[in-house]
Amino acid sequence: KPKKEVKDDPYALPAAPDPADEDDNVDIDVSAEVDVNAIANESGRDGELPVVRTKDALAALDSVLMANADAETVKFLIDSAKAKLWRHAYLEPDEARKEAEAFQGDVYSTLAKDSFLAEFDAANGLGLPAGYAFRPEPGADITPPNLMQRRVAVCVRDSRRFGNWSGMGAGKTLSAILATRVVSARLTVICCPNAVVNNWAEEIANAFPNSEVAKKTWTPEWKDPLESKPRYLVMNYEQFQQADSEQRLVAFLDRNVVDFVVVDEIHFAKQREAQAQTTKRKRLVQGLILDAGKKNGELCVLGMSGTPVINTLHEGKSLVEMITGHRHDDIDTRATVQNCMKLYQRLVTLGTR
């Protein structure tokens, strides 16, 4: 027989905080903003959506559709427009900034434009943390982080909770390592698939050689007793599903203050079905984030996945909840266009791709 859920599970997610005003509770229908047939016809090679130019994304915001939109819908549409601007900027940063600066529009496009330019300048002007020494291969020159990596670091610094939905090969690993140094994290816990544990350790040593790295243990032994070097604990997901994993996790959190949690390939820890019992792995990764946040109010959480949703909407909802640290009961996981758009809205406002 399946085990019954524990009613007073200390690792159960709390409810979402009360909204600031009534507009936060509106039922949003943004499906009308999406022309599915146009997307299908215009999509590029390998199923990638076409890159919308900055000036076109801004112009779309000033359409008549915005006139009767509620506050939360407006916020999403502005965030969605900014996501398009950033997609252009990742490919053509100078051109995207030039088009945004030259664009003259109404109130909504101006809000998106000003917000994008402020974010762009913050990311582009980010100073490199002391000790940065990333080389793409041995003997190569030190290579500065790209715009996406800088932006992720700035967003983590400013919002503390963020998602990087970029595809394979975009540089998500370095974006996370850079973010840990931008916020001066003393202890970072990285949860990742077993196959990439060594890669994480190597990338950390490559980017910031003056770091201590421990792997696959809840009782790391650090060489620097004065804690003058940043510490990284790289844990494969199997460490969260052993018979004594919860006991070891509790003891680890009692002894340590965690400043940063990275959940790499976060779909390894997400829940696939709404009716399914929460897996031990997901529950303890969730517990790590919850308890670390109780001990450190400035905890940073970065979730990373190039595939936020593979099979069901509950996968996407689960990872959003894991990053934010609370339930999102307003997201319905039935497979409808409206529910897909609601989840897409949350992913857009929580992260970047």
Side-chain angles (χ1 to χ4, degrees):
K1 294 182 180 179
K3 295 181 180 178
K4 294 182 179 180
E5 292 281 354
V6 180
K7 292 183 179 180
D8 297 323
D9 185 352
Y11 296 154
L13 287 170
D18 292 332
D21 54 58
E22 294 180 358
D23 283 338
D24 288 341
N25 281 324
V26 294
D27 185 20
I28 305 166
D29 183 3
V30 295
S31 57
E33 310 298 334
V34 180
D35 185 344
V36 178
N37 293 325
I39 289 175
N41 292 333
E42 295 176 11
S43 60
R45 291 174 296 180
D46 301 323
E48 285 292 328
L49 296 179
V51 175
V52 179
R53 298 198 67 83
T54 294
K55 58 184 179 182
D56 297 329
L58 289 171
L61 274 181
D62 291 330
S63 70
V64 68
L65 293 172
M66 297 290 285
N68 298 318
D70 59 73
E72 192 177 355
T73 303
V74 169
K75 181 182 184 305
F76 161 64
L77 293 174
I78 290 175
D79 285 343
S80 181
K82 284 199 303 177
K84 296 181 179 70
L85 268 58
W86 273 111
R87 190 165 183 231
H88 184 200
Y90 291 153
L91 296 175
E92 300 177 322
D94 294 337
E95 190 66 23
R97 195 190 189 291
K98 185 191 302 181
E99 288 187 13
E101 202 163 32
F103 187 85
Q104 299 295 322
D106 291 336
V107 58
Y108 295 120
S109 60
T110 300
L111 285 172
K113 163 188 167 178
D114 291 346
S115 179
F116 166 73
L117 288 174
E119 292 176 5
F120 183 97
D121 291 343
N124 198 46
L126 179 69
L128 294 182
Y132 179 86
F134 177 78
R135 290 176 169 83
E137 56 186 35
D141 293 335
I142 294 176
T143 302
N146 62 34
L147 184 59
M148 179 276 286
Q149 293 161 342
R150 291 172 182 265
R151 189 197 174 206
V152 168
V154 168
C155 288
V156 172
R157 180 194 67 191
D158 294 345
S159 65
R160 317 309 282 186
R161 309 262 176 155
F162 199 65
N164 188 344
W165 321 130
S166 300
M168 184 181 298
K172 294 193 295 293
T173 301
L174 182 57
S175 77
I177 298 169
L178 177 66
T180 67
R181 303 311 324 130
V182 167
V183 301
S184 301
R186 291 163 296 181
L187 175 58
T188 298
V189 178
I190 299 164
C191 312
C192 65
N194 188 57
V196 296
V197 167
N198 289 335
N199 180 69
W200 267 102
E202 292 167 2
E203 288 288 287
I204 293 167
N206 185 16
F208 293 96
N210 188 36
S211 302
E212 282 201 78
V213 182
K215 300 181 293 184
K216 300 184 181 182
T217 176
W218 289 114
T219 55
E221 297 181 0
W222 307 108
K223 298 177 181 178
D224 179 16
L226 299 178
E227 301 185 35
S228 60
K229 297 180 180 180
R231 295 173 171 178
Y232 295 85
L233 177 61
V234 187
M235 300 292 282
N236 56 316
Y237 286 114
E238 287 76 11
Q239 299 297 326
F240 292 87
Q241 59 190 56
Q242 305 304 313
D244 60 349
S245 290
E246 183 168 353
Q247 178 183 351
R248 288 178 174 271
L249 171 62
V250 170
F252 171 79
L253 292 173
D254 283 343
R255 295 190 305 267
N256 298 277
V257 176
V258 178
D259 300 304
F260 204 119
V261 176
V262 178
V263 189
D264 183 21
E265 298 299 344
I266 195 169
H267 57 272
F268 273 67
K270 67 193 178 187
Q271 189 174 338
R272 292 192 173 182
E273 299 290 346
Q275 297 81 13
Q277 184 180 9
T278 302
T279 65
K280 186 173 186 178
R281 173 188 294 187
K282 176 183 182 291
R283 176 177 171 272
L284 292 188
V285 173
Q286 185 172 286
L288 165 66
I289 295 172
L290 288 174
D291 274 9
K294 292 174 184 177
K295 201 169 182 179
N296 180 359
E298 295 298 312
L299 175 73
C300 295
V301 180
L302 176 61
M304 305 199 309
S305 176
T307 53
V309 177
I310 300 176
N311 299 299
T312 70
L313 295 186
H314 194 79
E315 294 177 338
K317 177 180 179 179
S318 176
L319 69 86
V320 166
E321 290 179 333
M322 187 175 293
I323 294 173
T324 59
H326 61 76
R327 300 197 308 273
H328 287 254
D329 296 332
D330 58 319
I331 300 178
D332 191 333
T333 56
R334 291 173 298 165
T336 68
V337 171
Q338 173 70 14
N339 293 342
C340 288
M341 291 305 302
K342 182 74 173 183
L343 178 59
Y344 171 73
Q345 172 193 6
R346 206 58 51 89
L347 292 170
V348 166
T349 56
L350 183 61
T352 189
R353 179 178 175 86

Short mmCIF file of all heavy atoms in Angstrom, two decimals, residues 141-198:
data_model
loop_
_atom_site.label_atom_id
_atom_site.label_comp_id
_atom_site.label_asym_id
_atom_site.label_seq_id
_atom_site.Cartn_x
_atom_site.Cartn_y
_atom_site.Cartn_z
N ASP A 141 43.10 32.44 -23.01
CA ASP A 141 43.01 33.67 -22.23
C ASP A 141 41.79 33.62 -21.31
O ASP A 141 40.82 32.90 -21.58
CB ASP A 141 42.88 34.88 -23.16
CG ASP A 141 44.15 35.11 -23.98
OD1 ASP A 141 45.23 34.69 -23.52
OD2 ASP A 141 44.04 35.71 -25.06
N ILE A 142 41.85 34.38 -20.24
CA ILE A 142 40.68 34.50 -19.36
C ILE A 142 39.54 35.11 -20.16
O ILE A 142 39.69 36.14 -20.81
CB ILE A 142 41.01 35.36 -18.13
CG1 ILE A 142 42.04 34.65 -17.25
CG2 ILE A 142 39.75 35.67 -17.34
CD1 ILE A 142 42.50 35.46 -16.05
N THR A 143 38.39 34.45 -20.11
CA THR A 143 37.23 34.86 -20.90
C THR A 143 36.16 35.45 -19.99
O THR A 143 35.70 34.77 -19.06
CB THR A 143 36.65 33.66 -21.68
OG1 THR A 143 37.68 33.11 -22.51
CG2 THR A 143 35.47 34.09 -22.53
N PRO A 144 35.75 36.69 -20.21
CA PRO A 144 34.71 37.27 -19.37
C PRO A 144 33.37 36.59 -19.58
O PRO A 144 33.12 36.00 -20.65
CB PRO A 144 34.67 38.74 -19.82
CG PRO A 144 35.21 38.72 -21.22
CD PRO A 144 36.22 37.62 -21.25
N PRO A 145 32.48 36.64 -18.62
CA PRO A 145 31.16 36.03 -18.78
C PRO A 145 30.35 36.73 -19.86
O PRO A 145 30.53 37.93 -20.11
CB PRO A 145 30.52 36.19 -17.39
CG PRO A 145 31.28 37.31 -16.75
CD PRO A 145 32.66 37.25 -17.29
N ASN A 146 29.44 35.98 -20.49
CA ASN A 146 28.60 36.60 -21.51
C ASN A 146 27.45 37.35 -20.86
O ASN A 146 27.29 37.35 -19.63
CB ASN A 146 28.11 35.55 -22.51
CG ASN A 146 27.24 34.47 -21.88
OD1 ASN A 146 26.49 34.72 -20.93
ND2 ASN A 146 27.32 33.25 -22.40
N LEU A 147 26.63 37.98 -21.69
CA LEU A 147 25.56 38.85 -21.17
C LEU A 147 24.54 38.06 -20.36
O LEU A 147 24.06 38.53 -19.32
CB LEU A 147 24.88 39.57 -22.33
CG LEU A 147 23.81 40.59 -21.96
CD1 LEU A 147 24.38 41.70 -21.07
CD2 LEU A 147 23.19 41.21 -23.22
N MET A 148 24.17 36.85 -20.82
CA MET A 148 23.21 36.04 -20.07
C MET A 148 23.75 35.72 -18.69
O MET A 148 23.04 35.82 -17.68
CB MET A 148 22.89 34.75 -20.83
CG MET A 148 21.92 33.82 -20.11
SD MET A 148 22.72 32.70 -18.90
CE MET A 148 23.53 31.54 -19.98
N GLN A 149 25.02 35.33 -18.60
CA GLN A 149 25.62 34.97 -17.33
C GLN A 149 25.66 36.17 -16.38
O GLN A 149 25.39 36.04 -15.18
CB GLN A 149 27.01 34.40 -17.57
CG GLN A 149 26.98 33.06 -18.30
CD GLN A 149 28.28 32.68 -18.95
OE1 GLN A 149 29.15 33.52 -19.16
NE2 GLN A 149 28.44 31.40 -19.28
N ARG A 150 25.98 37.32 -16.92
CA ARG A 150 25.99 38.54 -16.10
C ARG A 150 24.57 38.89 -15.62
O ARG A 150 24.37 39.28 -14.48
CB ARG A 150 26.56 39.71 -16.91
CG ARG A 150 28.05 39.61 -17.23
CD ARG A 150 28.46 40.70 -18.20
NE ARG A 150 29.86 40.62 -18.56
CZ ARG A 150 30.84 41.31 -17.96
NH1 ARG A 150 30.55 42.13 -16.96
NH2 ARG A 150 32.08 41.20 -18.35
N ARG A 151 23.60 38.72 -16.52
CA ARG A 151 22.24 39.06 -16.14
C ARG A 151 21.72 38.15 -15.04
O ARG A 151 21.06 38.59 -14.09
CB ARG A 151 21.31 38.98 -17.34
CG ARG A 151 19.93 39.56 -16.97
CD ARG A 151 18.85 39.19 -17.91
NE ARG A 151 17.57 39.68 -17.40
CZ ARG A 151 16.40 39.14 -17.69
NH1 ARG A 151 16.33 38.10 -18.49
NH2 ARG A 151 15.29 39.63 -17.16
N VAL A 152 21.99 36.84 -15.15
CA VAL A 152 21.56 35.91 -14.11
C VAL A 152 22.16 36.31 -12.77
O VAL A 152 21.48 36.31 -11.74
CB VAL A 152 21.95 34.46 -14.48
CG1 VAL A 152 21.76 33.52 -13.29
CG2 VAL A 152 21.10 33.98 -15.66
N ALA A 153 23.44 36.65 -12.76
CA ALA A 153 24.10 37.05 -11.51
C ALA A 153 23.44 38.29 -10.91
O ALA A 153 23.20 38.36 -9.70
CB ALA A 153 25.59 37.30 -11.76
N VAL A 154 23.12 39.26 -11.75
CA VAL A 154 22.48 40.49 -11.27
C VAL A 154 21.08 40.20 -10.74
O VAL A 154 20.67 40.72 -9.68
CB VAL A 154 22.43 41.55 -12.39
CG1 VAL A 154 21.52 42.71 -12.01
CG2 VAL A 154 23.83 42.07 -12.70
N CYS A 155 20.33 39.35 -11.45
CA CYS A 155 18.97 39.03 -11.02
C CYS A 155 18.96 38.27 -9.70
O CYS A 155 18.11 38.52 -8.84
CB CYS A 155 18.25 38.23 -12.10
SG CYS A 155 17.80 39.19 -13.56
N VAL A 156 19.91 37.35 -9.52
CA VAL A 156 20.00 36.65 -8.23
C VAL A 156 20.36 37.63 -7.13
O VAL A 156 19.80 37.60 -6.03
CB VAL A 156 21.04 35.51 -8.31
CG1 VAL A 156 21.29 34.93 -6.93
CG2 VAL A 156 20.57 34.42 -9.26
N ARG A 157 21.29 38.51 -7.41
CA ARG A 157 21.69 39.51 -6.41
C ARG A 157 20.51 40.38 -5.99
O ARG A 157 20.33 40.68 -4.80
CB ARG A 157 22.79 40.40 -7.00
CG ARG A 157 23.30 41.49 -6.06
CD ARG A 157 24.11 42.52 -6.82
NE ARG A 157 23.27 43.28 -7.74
CZ ARG A 157 23.75 44.10 -8.68
NH1 ARG A 157 25.06 44.23 -8.85
NH2 ARG A 157 22.92 44.77 -9.46
N ASP A 158 19.67 40.75 -6.95
CA ASP A 158 18.59 41.70 -6.68
C ASP A 158 17.32 41.03 -6.15
O ASP A 158 16.60 41.61 -5.33
CB ASP A 158 18.25 42.49 -7.94
CG ASP A 158 19.41 43.40 -8.37
OD1 ASP A 158 20.32 43.63 -7.56
OD2 ASP A 158 19.38 43.86 -9.52
N SER A 159 17.01 39.80 -6.62
CA SER A 159 15.74 39.18 -6.23
C SER A 159 15.91 37.96 -5.34
O SER A 159 14.93 37.48 -4.77
CB SER A 159 14.95 38.78 -7.49
OG SER A 159 15.63 37.78 -8.22
N ARG A 160 17.12 37.41 -5.24
CA ARG A 160 17.47 36.26 -4.38
C ARG A 160 16.94 34.93 -4.90
O ARG A 160 17.53 33.89 -4.61
CB ARG A 160 17.01 36.44 -2.92
CG ARG A 160 17.23 37.81 -2.31
CD ARG A 160 18.63 38.32 -2.48
NE ARG A 160 19.61 37.71 -1.55
CZ ARG A 160 20.87 38.11 -1.47
NH1 ARG A 160 21.32 39.09 -2.24
NH2 ARG A 160 21.69 37.51 -0.64
N ARG A 161 15.85 34.91 -5.63
CA ARG A 161 15.28 33.66 -6.16
C ARG A 161 15.10 33.83 -7.67
O ARG A 161 14.43 34.77 -8.12
CB ARG A 161 13.93 33.34 -5.51
CG ARG A 161 13.95 33.38 -3.97
CD ARG A 161 14.10 32.01 -3.41
NE ARG A 161 14.21 32.03 -1.95
CZ ARG A 161 13.88 31.01 -1.18
NH1 ARG A 161 13.40 29.91 -1.71
NH2 ARG A 161 14.05 31.08 0.14
N PHE A 162 15.67 32.90 -8.46
CA PHE A 162 15.65 33.10 -9.90
C PHE A 162 15.76 31.75 -10.60
O PHE A 162 16.21 30.76 -10.01
CB PHE A 162 16.81 34.01 -10.31
CG PHE A 162 16.65 34.65 -11.67
CD1 PHE A 162 15.63 35.55 -11.91
CD2 PHE A 162 17.52 34.35 -12.71
CE1 PHE A 162 15.48 36.14 -13.16
CE2 PHE A 162 17.38 34.92 -13.96
CZ PHE A 162 16.35 35.83 -14.18
N GLY A 163 15.34 31.71 -11.88
CA GLY A 163 15.44 30.51 -12.68
C GLY A 163 16.16 30.79 -13.98
O GLY A 163 15.94 31.83 -14.62
N ASN A 164 17.04 29.89 -14.38
CA ASN A 164 17.72 30.00 -15.66
C ASN A 164 17.24 28.85 -16.54
O ASN A 164 17.61 27.70 -16.32
CB ASN A 164 19.24 29.95 -15.47
CG ASN A 164 20.00 30.26 -16.74
OD1 ASN A 164 19.44 30.25 -17.83
ND2 ASN A 164 21.29 30.54 -16.62
N TRP A 165 16.41 29.17 -17.55
CA TRP A 165 15.81 28.15 -18.41
C TRP A 165 16.57 28.03 -19.74
O TRP A 165 16.02 27.49 -20.69
CB TRP A 165 14.34 28.48 -18.68
CG TRP A 165 13.56 29.03 -17.53
CD1 TRP A 165 12.78 30.16 -17.53
CD2 TRP A 165 13.44 28.50 -16.21
NE1 TRP A 165 12.20 30.36 -16.30
CE2 TRP A 165 12.60 29.35 -15.46
CE3 TRP A 165 13.99 27.38 -15.57
CZ2 TRP A 165 12.28 29.13 -14.13
CZ3 TRP A 165 13.69 27.15 -14.24
CH2 TRP A 165 12.84 28.01 -13.53
N SER A 166 17.79 28.52 -19.81
CA SER A 166 18.55 28.50 -21.06
C SER A 166 18.87 27.07 -21.47
O SER A 166 18.95 26.16 -20.64
CB SER A 166 19.85 29.29 -20.89
OG SER A 166 19.59 30.63 -20.55
N GLY A 167 19.07 26.88 -22.77
CA GLY A 167 19.31 25.55 -23.31
C GLY A 167 20.72 25.04 -23.05
O GLY A 167 21.57 25.75 -22.50
N MET A 168 20.95 23.81 -23.45
CA MET A 168 22.25 23.18 -23.26
C MET A 168 23.33 23.96 -24.01
O MET A 168 23.14 24.37 -25.14
CB MET A 168 22.20 21.73 -23.75
CG MET A 168 23.49 20.96 -23.51
SD MET A 168 23.37 19.25 -24.15
CE MET A 168 22.05 18.60 -23.12
N GLY A 169 24.46 24.16 -23.34
CA GLY A 169 25.58 24.83 -23.98
C GLY A 169 25.55 26.34 -23.88
O GLY A 169 26.45 27.02 -24.39
N ALA A 170 24.52 26.90 -23.22
CA ALA A 170 24.42 28.36 -23.12
C ALA A 170 25.32 28.93 -22.04
O ALA A 170 25.58 30.14 -22.03
CB ALA A 170 22.97 28.76 -22.85
N GLY A 171 25.79 28.08 -21.12
CA GLY A 171 26.67 28.58 -20.06
C GLY A 171 25.98 28.73 -18.71
O GLY A 171 26.35 29.60 -17.91
N LYS A 172 24.98 27.88 -18.44
CA LYS A 172 24.25 27.99 -17.17
C LYS A 172 25.16 27.75 -15.96
O LYS A 172 25.02 28.41 -14.93
CB LYS A 172 23.08 26.99 -17.13
CG LYS A 172 21.98 27.27 -18.14
CD LYS A 172 20.72 26.46 -17.85
CE LYS A 172 20.92 24.97 -18.00
NZ LYS A 172 21.19 24.58 -19.40
N THR A 173 26.10 26.80 -16.08
CA THR A 173 26.96 26.47 -14.94
C THR A 173 27.79 27.68 -14.51
O THR A 173 27.84 28.03 -13.33
CB THR A 173 27.90 25.29 -15.29
OG1 THR A 173 27.10 24.16 -15.64
CG2 THR A 173 28.78 24.94 -14.11
N LEU A 174 28.43 28.35 -15.47
CA LEU A 174 29.23 29.52 -15.12
C LEU A 174 28.35 30.66 -14.60
O LEU A 174 28.76 31.41 -13.71
CB LEU A 174 30.03 30.00 -16.33
CG LEU A 174 30.95 31.20 -16.07
CD1 LEU A 174 31.94 30.90 -14.94
CD2 LEU A 174 31.70 31.59 -17.35
N SER A 175 27.12 30.76 -15.12
CA SER A 175 26.21 31.82 -14.62
C SER A 175 25.95 31.62 -13.13
O SER A 175 25.88 32.58 -12.36
CB SER A 175 24.89 31.81 -15.40
OG SER A 175 24.03 30.75 -15.00
N ALA A 176 25.80 30.36 -12.71
CA ALA A 176 25.54 30.07 -11.30
C ALA A 176 26.77 30.36 -10.45
O ALA A 176 26.67 30.97 -9.37
CB ALA A 176 25.12 28.61 -11.14
N ILE A 177 27.93 29.92 -10.91
CA ILE A 177 29.17 30.14 -10.15
C ILE A 177 29.43 31.63 -10.01
O ILE A 177 29.79 32.13 -8.93
CB ILE A 177 30.35 29.43 -10.83
CG1 ILE A 177 30.11 27.92 -10.87
CG2 ILE A 177 31.65 29.73 -10.11
CD1 ILE A 177 31.08 27.16 -11.76
N LEU A 178 29.25 32.37 -11.11
CA LEU A 178 29.44 33.82 -11.07
C LEU A 178 28.49 34.46 -10.06
O LEU A 178 28.88 35.33 -9.26
CB LEU A 178 29.20 34.42 -12.46
CG LEU A 178 29.30 35.93 -12.57
CD1 LEU A 178 30.72 36.42 -12.32
CD2 LEU A 178 28.81 36.40 -13.95
N ALA A 179 27.22 34.01 -10.05
CA ALA A 179 26.24 34.58 -9.12
C ALA A 179 26.64 34.35 -7.67
O ALA A 179 26.45 35.23 -6.82
CB ALA A 179 24.86 33.97 -9.39
N THR A 180 27.21 33.19 -7.36
CA THR A 180 27.62 32.93 -5.97
C THR A 180 28.68 33.92 -5.50
O THR A 180 28.71 34.30 -4.35
CB THR A 180 28.16 31.50 -5.80
OG1 THR A 180 29.40 31.34 -6.52
CG2 THR A 180 27.16 30.47 -6.27
N ARG A 181 29.56 34.33 -6.42
CA ARG A 181 30.61 35.27 -6.04
C ARG A 181 30.11 36.71 -6.02
O ARG A 181 30.57 37.53 -5.23
CB ARG A 181 31.81 35.17 -7.00
CG ARG A 181 32.44 33.79 -7.11
CD ARG A 181 32.75 33.06 -5.79
NE ARG A 181 33.19 33.91 -4.72
CZ ARG A 181 32.66 33.87 -3.50
NH1 ARG A 181 31.68 33.03 -3.21
NH2 ARG A 181 33.12 34.67 -2.57
N VAL A 182 29.15 37.02 -6.89
CA VAL A 182 28.58 38.37 -6.91
C VAL A 182 27.87 38.67 -5.59
O VAL A 182 27.91 39.80 -5.08
CB VAL A 182 27.63 38.55 -8.11
CG1 VAL A 182 26.78 39.82 -7.97
CG2 VAL A 182 28.44 38.59 -9.42
N VAL A 183 27.23 37.65 -5.00
CA VAL A 183 26.54 37.86 -3.71
C VAL A 183 27.42 37.49 -2.52
O VAL A 183 26.97 37.50 -1.38
CB VAL A 183 25.22 37.05 -3.66
CG1 VAL A 183 24.29 37.45 -4.78
CG2 VAL A 183 25.49 35.54 -3.69
N SER A 184 28.69 37.16 -2.80
CA SER A 184 29.66 36.83 -1.75
C SER A 184 29.21 35.68 -0.87
O SER A 184 29.34 35.73 0.38
CB SER A 184 29.95 38.08 -0.88
OG SER A 184 30.47 39.12 -1.68
N ALA A 185 28.66 34.63 -1.48
CA ALA A 185 28.22 33.46 -0.72
C ALA A 185 29.43 32.76 -0.10
O ALA A 185 30.42 32.49 -0.78
CB ALA A 185 27.46 32.50 -1.64
N ARG A 186 29.31 32.45 1.18
CA ARG A 186 30.40 31.73 1.85
C ARG A 186 30.24 30.22 1.69
O ARG A 186 31.23 29.50 1.55
CB ARG A 186 30.42 32.11 3.33
CG ARG A 186 30.85 33.55 3.59
CD ARG A 186 30.49 34.01 4.99
NE ARG A 186 29.02 34.01 5.16
CZ ARG A 186 28.40 34.39 6.27
NH1 ARG A 186 29.11 34.75 7.33
NH2 ARG A 186 27.09 34.38 6.35
N LEU A 187 29.02 29.74 1.74
CA LEU A 187 28.76 28.31 1.55
C LEU A 187 27.64 28.13 0.53
O LEU A 187 26.53 28.61 0.74
CB LEU A 187 28.38 27.64 2.86
CG LEU A 187 27.97 26.16 2.77
CD1 LEU A 187 29.09 25.31 2.16
CD2 LEU A 187 27.59 25.61 4.14
N THR A 188 27.96 27.45 -0.56
CA THR A 188 26.99 27.16 -1.60
C THR A 188 26.79 25.65 -1.68
O THR A 188 27.76 24.88 -1.71
CB THR A 188 27.50 27.67 -2.97
OG1 THR A 188 27.65 29.09 -2.92
CG2 THR A 188 26.53 27.30 -4.08
N VAL A 189 25.52 25.22 -1.72
CA VAL A 189 25.19 23.81 -1.93
C VAL A 189 24.63 23.67 -3.33
O VAL A 189 23.68 24.36 -3.70
CB VAL A 189 24.17 23.30 -0.89
CG1 VAL A 189 23.82 21.84 -1.18
CG2 VAL A 189 24.73 23.43 0.52
N ILE A 190 25.23 22.78 -4.11
CA ILE A 190 24.81 22.54 -5.48
C ILE A 190 24.20 21.14 -5.57
O ILE A 190 24.86 20.15 -5.26
CB ILE A 190 25.99 22.66 -6.46
CG1 ILE A 190 26.56 24.08 -6.40
CG2 ILE A 190 25.57 22.30 -7.88
CD1 ILE A 190 27.94 24.22 -7.00
N CYS A 191 22.93 21.04 -5.97
CA CYS A 191 22.25 19.77 -6.15
C CYS A 191 22.21 19.49 -7.65
O CYS A 191 21.72 20.32 -8.42
CB CYS A 191 20.83 19.83 -5.61
SG CYS A 191 20.69 20.53 -3.94
N CYS A 192 22.73 18.35 -8.06
CA CYS A 192 22.86 18.10 -9.49
C CYS A 192 22.85 16.60 -9.79
O CYS A 192 23.04 15.78 -8.88
CB CYS A 192 24.15 18.72 -10.02
SG CYS A 192 25.66 18.00 -9.33
N PRO A 193 22.67 16.21 -11.05
CA PRO A 193 22.78 14.80 -11.42
C PRO A 193 24.18 14.27 -11.16
O PRO A 193 25.17 15.02 -11.26
CB PRO A 193 22.45 14.79 -12.92
CG PRO A 193 21.68 16.05 -13.15
CD PRO A 193 22.24 17.05 -12.19
N ASN A 194 24.29 13.00 -10.87
CA ASN A 194 25.58 12.40 -10.55
C ASN A 194 26.59 12.55 -11.69
O ASN A 194 27.79 12.72 -11.45
CB ASN A 194 25.38 10.91 -10.23
CG ASN A 194 26.64 10.27 -9.70
OD1 ASN A 194 27.21 10.72 -8.70
ND2 ASN A 194 27.11 9.22 -10.36
N ALA A 195 26.10 12.53 -12.92
CA ALA A 195 26.99 12.57 -14.08
C ALA A 195 27.74 13.89 -14.21
O ALA A 195 28.77 13.94 -14.92
CB ALA A 195 26.20 12.30 -15.35
N VAL A 196 27.26 14.95 -13.56
CA VAL A 196 27.92 16.25 -13.73
C VAL A 196 28.57 16.77 -12.44
O VAL A 196 28.99 17.92 -12.39
CB VAL A 196 26.93 17.31 -14.28
CG1 VAL A 196 26.46 16.93 -15.66
CG2 VAL A 196 25.75 17.52 -13.33
N VAL A 197 28.67 15.93 -11.41
CA VAL A 197 29.30 16.35 -10.16
C VAL A 197 30.73 16.80 -10.40
O VAL A 197 31.15 17.89 -9.97
CB VAL A 197 29.26 15.21 -9.12
CG1 VAL A 197 30.19 15.54 -7.94
CG2 VAL A 197 27.84 15.00 -8.61
N ASN A 198 31.52 15.99 -11.09
CA ASN A 198 32.91 16.34 -11.34
C ASN A 198 33.04 17.57 -12.24
O ASN A 198 33.95 18.39 -12.07
CB ASN A 198 33.66 15.16 -11.97
CG ASN A 198 33.88 14.03 -10.98
OD1 ASN A 198 33.91 14.25 -9.76
ND2 ASN A 198 34.02 12.82 -11.48
#
